[in-house]
């Protein structure tokens, strides 16, 4: 393939982690490793976002080389409202992509 497209289904790109899993442990590869492999891909990786892209899902989209979003898409890092810092580089990637105002 010439590129890789990451997408979701049913109006959700990716809603991130289930907070209830924090107590029992999250399964699968750590998100920072997943995003690092996306960033290191020799093929362009595109996030095709339709609907919500929250928490870890937003961080995955930020780690892609390109992002394409529908008009109904919403992105955010809601874990900060719980006092939890985004754990996969979202706090660094977001300002690099959208800029910051003094």
């Amino acid at each position: 393939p010439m590129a890789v497209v990451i997408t979701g289904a049913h109006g959700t790109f990716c809603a991130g982690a289930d907070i209830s899993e924090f107590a029992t442990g999250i399964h699968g590869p750590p998100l920072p490793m997943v995003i690092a492999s996306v960033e290191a891909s020799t093929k362009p990786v595109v996030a095709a976002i339709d609907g919500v892209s929250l928490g870890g899902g937003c961080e995955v989209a930020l780690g892609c080389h390109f992002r394409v979003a529908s008009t109904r898409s919403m992105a955010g890092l809601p874990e900060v409202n719980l006092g939890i810092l985004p754990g996969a580089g979202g706090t660094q990637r977001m300002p690099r992509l959208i800029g910051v105002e003094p």
Side-chain angles (χ1 to χ4, degrees), residues 1-84:
M2 297 176 63
V4 176
V5 178
I6 300 175
T7 188
H10 310 293
T12 302
F13 174 74
C14 181
D18 180 350
I19 299 297
S20 66
E21 287 184 350
F22 287 7
T24 60
I26 297 173
H27 304 286
L31 190 56
M33 290 177 59
V34 172
I35 296 171
S37 66
V38 167
E39 286 182 317
S41 174
T42 57
K43 296 179 190 260
V45 180
V46 180
I49 305 164
D50 181 35
V52 297
S53 172
L54 299 173
C58 182
E59 292 187 280
V60 168
L62 292 171
C64 291
H65 302 119
F66 302 98
R67 288 147 298 282
V68 179
S70 70
T71 57
R72 67 182 189 151
S73 296
M74 295 183 291
L77 300 168
E79 59 268 37
V80 299
N81 294 321
L82 300 173
I84 301 171

